[in-house]
Structure formats: structure tokens, C-alpha cells
Amino acid sequence: MSPDDFRRHGRAVIDWIAGYMESVETHPVLSRSEPGEVRARLPQHPPEMGEPFEAMLRDVDEIVLPGITHWQSPTFFAYFPANASGPAILGELLSAGLGVQGMLWTTSPACTELETHMLDWLVELLDLPERFSSRGPGGGVIQDSASSATLCALIAARERVTSGACNRSGIDRRLTVYSSSEAHSSVEKAVRVAGLGSDSLRAVPIDASGAMKADALRMQVTRDVADGATPCLVVATAGTTSSLALDPVAEIAEVCESHGMWLHVDAAMAGTAALCPELRFVNDGLESADSYCFNPHKWMLVNFDCDCFYVSDRAALINALSVLPEYLRNEASESGDVIDYRDWQIPLGRRFRALKLWFVIRHYGIEGLRAFVRRHIELTHALVEWIEDDPDFEIVSPPWLNLVCFSHRAGDEVTQEIMRRVNASGRMYITHTRVDERVVLRMCVGQTHTESEHIERAWSTLRQTAAEIAAERG
Ligand SMILES: *Cc1c(COP(=O)(O)O)cnc(C)c1O
């Protein structure tokens, strides 16, 4: 494809994306595609000869779009958001255009230095503890996901508690890991990948708000130590996936300190709230954490993937992950004056993700980003009021941010049927969880273009559906 052809087709693609942004609400939010339907429409074999670009874009419309669940729809309330924005998409495009591999400082100094700088900006933006800035022994790095951040935290923790022995000769003792029973599944995955095994993960009980009980943690750790285990890592969650509960990080940190455990704080979704000074309590206790992560790709307008991972002492991470073959040796690395981010993550190669983060922060500015978070919280409050005023529905856990957990009073079956029908209607998309064995609907307000009309429409769809079901049941 010549630069001139690229210009032409590139304009068509940008037009396509802009058109999609304008029309996203016309599609059913949850894809109606049946299993195998997309593949059935694709040719059995790859083409012998090259095809015109127009044909590809046409197939995106005809084959791909029906198989898309519209995460960018303003009535997408399922899971957690993965919101995107114009500046992020353009940053992503530039990153692809430059096609940089940022594994070493020397393989593109700008890729590394812009990333370090953005992560330091975010320390300031979110008022994170200074220990996470690159000015001291700590620092931040962009990972693909919070799951990778948790795995890296575990690997660094394992390195520290075994004084590096595990990386030379394998794990020679029983290491234990702790998180609340509401922690994300990525903690168990990390424990498996790191070779500790699922049995080494302790699910610490939670209180009524869904937060880890620090006393229960202390007791479990004491038991494990008496049993001959070496406590390695605690993953505290600031904003659990089910209900955005906040683990008591400061109390957990005390337990970690008395047993030499690494403390990782996972704030994948809720971390963004700290943009707003009035919500900085999401960072409570963070000054004692060894590592921290949050996902700008969830709620900060940066399209997937972009997880910001911080460590207070980068030495443990780098010692655990740095393997230096001859072909990667270079003067800059040897000088010790530069960061080689390959040593801060599992893969060697890495994309230039800082560009989209830079574009988003510059395009919206701090105030723009704050306004966005505040608008979502306001919309959430409106929704909560309507639910509270409706005798048929009830709020299940007190919402403090942008997630509402609620149920129909008629019980699980009706609650589940409401979800099935509103999702089938194509008008909105919500998902569920279980709180105290009860089916609970989750509505997370976090899409880039969600406004009050969308919340109103969603609420009226929910109410009408509930009324329909009640009428059918007599
Ligand atoms: C969403 C979420 C994750 C997983 O995020 P990925 O970036 O997709 O790995 C982990 N932890 C919490 C608390 C989450 O909300």
C-alpha cells in the first residue's frame, strides 16, 4: 500500500469510525450473533490474490458489525466500562504508524521517556504517594492489563521473600498469597502462572460491605506461619469487581509489615476516581503499598489496553524479570542512566502506549477528566434515587461511585428474567453478580457519551420490563 493509497483508505477508515461514533446507538448493544455465525460468513480459505480495500471495509459492516457487542454505546452498563475517546484512538493510530518496539530505551528513547513521564504525571494527577514516582527508587510502567500487573507484583514479591532464590533454583518453600473472597479472578490466575498453585491462595473473609476483614487476614497469616508457610503477597482491592468495595488498605499494610509480605493494591476501575480531590479516599493507605495499579482503559477514556502499574522499589521487579542475552546488550543500558521497560513486564516487546495516554490527558486537561468522572457519579446518583423510590426494586449495596447494585424484590428469578429481557431488547446491556447468595444486577455508568437521557431510557426499560413480567405472572 503506497503512502497515497494509505492516505485515501486511511481517510475512509477515519470516516468509518466517526460514523460509527455517531450511529452506535442504532445497534443492539449486546450482539445477537449466534455461535459460529460470524465464521460461517467468512471464506473458508485465505485469498490467493490481494483484494481491494473497499471490499474489506464493506465486510466490516456486513460481517463484523453484527458480531460486535457495543462497548462504546452510551447504554452499555455491563461489567466495567472500557471507554475510548477520539484522542486515544488517534494516539493508538500513531503508535501503529510508528510501529515501534519499545523493549529497551535504545530501541526508541521517546517510547520509554514519554511513558515514564506520563506515569509521573499520573502520580500527580491522582495524588499517588511520591514513592511511586520515578524520581526515587520506585516508578511506573504501562502493562496490558491489571491481570499482568498482579502477576508482576507476585513475581516481584516472590523474588523479595526468597531473596532471589526462587529465580535461581525454583520455589523451595510453601509461599502463600492472600486476597479477599471478592478479589478479581486474576489473582488466582497469577498464583497458578507463578507456580504457587491455587491451594496457596487464601480467600480472606469479607465484611458486610464486601471489604476484606483485616483481622481475619492477620489470623490466617499467623496460622500459615505456624504451619511452616512463608507469607508472600497480599492483594488488596480498591473497588471490587462485584460491588466496588474498598479493602482497608492501611490495616492490611500493618499485617504485611509485621510479616514481611508484599502489598499490592488493585484499583483497576475505581483508581480513576482519585482524579477528583473529593474522592481521594480511594487512595487511603496507599503510602504503605509496595505496588499499585489502575486501568485508564476502564474509566479514563483511553481505549484498551492501558494499565498503569507502580512499584515503590523497582529493584525487586527488575531483579526478578531481567535476563540479559548478549544480543540485547547496549551502551545506554550498561550506563545505568536509562529505563529498559522489558525488565518491568513479562514479554520482551512492547507497544508505544504512552502516546494515547498523553493525547487523552492533553486533550481533556485535568479539569476535563474530572468533569467526566463527576458527571458519571451524578448520573449514578440520579439512577439510585429512582431505584430507591420504586417499591419493586431495592438497592443491594450502597453505591459510592459509579456502580449500582440492585435487585427486584420479587426474587432471583424475576431479577434474572429482567436482565435477560432488557439485554435481548438491544436497548441496553447490564450484567449481574451475587451478593450474599442473591442475584444482583450491576449497572456501571462509565461510557464516554453516557448522558441523562441514556440513564432515563435504561431505567424506563427496566421498569417496563419488570411491569411486563409482573403482568404475565398475574
Ligand atoms: C477489571 C478488573 C481487573 C481485570 O482487569 P484487566 O485489565 O482486564 O486484567 C482486575 N481487578 C479488578 C479489581 C478489576 O475491576
Side-chain angles (χ1 to χ4, degrees):
M1 193 180 279
S2 70
D4 261 338
D5 285 345
F6 179 80
R7 232 174 235 118
R8 194 158 49 83
H9 301 317
R11 288 193 178 116
V13 170
I14 296 287
D15 275 344
W16 190 97
I17 298 172
Y20 177 68
M21 289 170 169
E22 287 165 341
S23 66
V24 66
E25 285 183 62
T26 63
H27 303 287
V29 186
L30 174 63
S31 171
R32 291 180 175 152
S33 195
E34 296 290 335
E37 205 175 314
V38 175
R39 286 199 67 179
R41 304 195 55 192
L42 293 168
Q44 190 89 35
H45 303 289
E48 209 63 53
M49 308 294 283
E51 295 181 72
F53 192 80
E54 291 78 6
M56 300 176 214
L57 214 45
R58 193 170 57 239
D59 284 350
V60 169
D61 275 318
E62 290 173 10
I63 301 174
V64 175
L65 258 191
I68 291 291
T69 288
H70 298 279
W71 283 74
Q72 303 311 315
S73 167
T75 53
F76 180 100
F77 302 108
Y79 308 107
F80 277 147
N83 61 31
S85 64
I89 296 166
L90 294 174
E92 184 81 70
L93 185 58
L94 273 176
S95 165
L98 291 168
V100 155
Q101 263 286 5
M103 54 199 183
L104 301 166
W105 176 87
T106 206
T107 61
S108 268
C111 178
T112 294
E113 292 191 19
L114 187 65
E115 183 163 330
T116 308
H117 207 68
M118 285 310 100
L119 281 126
D120 281 350
W121 269 13
L122 281 163
V123 168
E124 184 182 324
L125 269 171
L126 302 178
D127 197 25
L128 297 176
E130 182 58 25
R131 66 197 317 218
F132 292 139
S133 101
S134 70
R135 289 176 288 273
V141 59
I142 301 179
Q143 302 274 346
D144 55 0
S145 64
S147 305
S148 294
T150 300
L151 178 58
C152 287
L154 174 53
I155 286 167
R158 197 179 68 174
E159 167 81 13
R160 198 175 72 180
V161 299
T162 64
S163 306
C166 65
N167 283 310
R168 291 186 299 273
S169 46
I171 305 170
D172 63 352
R173 67 196 88 174
R174 203 148 55 80
L175 301 175
T176 45
V177 172
Y178 306 80
S179 64
S180 90
S181 52
E182 284 293 308
H184 193 265
S185 55
S186 52
V187 181
E188 183 167 355
K189 201 185 255 190
V191 163
R192 290 189 194 176
V193 173
L196 274 60
S198 295
D199 289 349
S200 68
L201 176 62
R202 307 284 186 252
V204 181
I206 51 172
D207 66 16
S209 77
M212 187 194 290
K213 287 182 176 168
D215 285 351
L217 170 68
R218 190 184 296 278
M219 273 158 43
Q220 182 66 55
V221 173
T222 309
R223 257 199 310 273
D224 290 334
V225 171
D227 214 24
T230 305
C232 176
L233 166 77
V234 178
V235 178
T237 313
T240 58
T241 315
S242 233
S243 63
L244 283 187
L246 295 170
D247 285 346
V249 176
E251 286 172 60
I252 292 170
E254 285 173 22
V255 183
C256 290
E257 213 161 302
S258 45
H259 291 278
M261 286 185 286
W262 185 286
L263 172 58
H264 175 62
V265 177
D266 175 2
M269 217 273 318
T272 298
L275 285 167
C276 305
E278 70 275 19
L279 297 168
R280 295 259 158 90
F281 57 87
V282 291
N283 292 345
D284 279 356
L286 217 47
E287 58 286 350
S288 316
D290 296 289
S291 57
Y292 168 79
C293 81
F294 89 107
N295 288 354
H297 73 224
K298 272 185 171 158
W299 195 28
M300 215 184 87
L301 302 165
V302 179
N303 63 293
F304 193 85
D305 52 353
C306 182
D307 165 271
C308 294
F309 175 54
Y310 290 92
V311 285
S312 64
D313 178 5
R314 55 187 178 260
L317 184 64
I318 293 171
N319 290 343
L321 294 176
S322 181
V323 179
L324 185 61
E326 185 57 34
Y327 50 78
L328 291 178
R329 284 186 185 276
N330 68 88
E331 255 176 58
S333 298
E334 246 123 89
S335 75
D337 294 336
V338 300
I339 289 177
D340 290 326
Y341 275 129
R342 73 181 184 104
D343 297 332
W344 297 54
Q345 61 173 23
I346 308 295
L348 171 64
R350 57 202 326 275
R351 312 195 299 116
F352 195 170
R353 295 189 192 90
L355 271 175
K356 57 187 175 184
L357 198 48
W358 190 38
F359 279 18
V360 165
I361 295 171
R362 291 181 70 183
H363 177 83
Y364 292 96
I366 303 175
E367 276 311 320
L369 293 172
R370 284 182 185 147
F372 168 82
V373 165
R374 287 177 180 140
R375 190 185 76 222
H376 284 157
I377 294 176
E378 251 172 59
L379 294 173
T380 309
H381 284 321
L383 177 66
V384 167
E385 274 183 32
W386 296 331
I387 296 174
E388 280 174 343
D389 286 347
D390 189 303
D392 295 334
F393 285 91
E394 68 181 313
I395 298 283
V396 173
S397 47
W400 64 273
L401 204 58
N402 61 337
L403 175 71
V404 188
C405 294
F406 61 106
S407 293
H408 194 277
R409 289 186 195 270
D412 286 357
E413 208 182 307
V414 170
T415 301
Q416 221 141 16
E417 181 61 12
I418 291 172
M419 176 172 76
R420 198 192 62 75
R421 290 195 196 182
V422 299
N423 290 343
S425 79
R427 288 162 65 88
M428 60 190 286
Y429 183 25
I430 56 174
T431 47
H432 79 289
T433 185
R434 267 177 200 277
V435 175
D436 296 332
E437 298 302 307
R438 198 168 153 201
V439 177
V440 170
L441 303 179
R442 291 168 76 266
M443 242 177 108
C444 191
V445 181
Q447 284 317 116
T448 311
H449 299 292
T450 301
E451 298 293 346
S452 46
E453 56 179 301
H454 304 107
I455 302 288
E456 284 163 26
R457 196 191 313 158
W459 176 234
S460 78
T461 304
L462 282 161
R463 283 187 56 192
Q464 277 166 23
T465 307
E468 250 169 51
I469 296 170
E472 286 168 24
R473 297 180 140 223

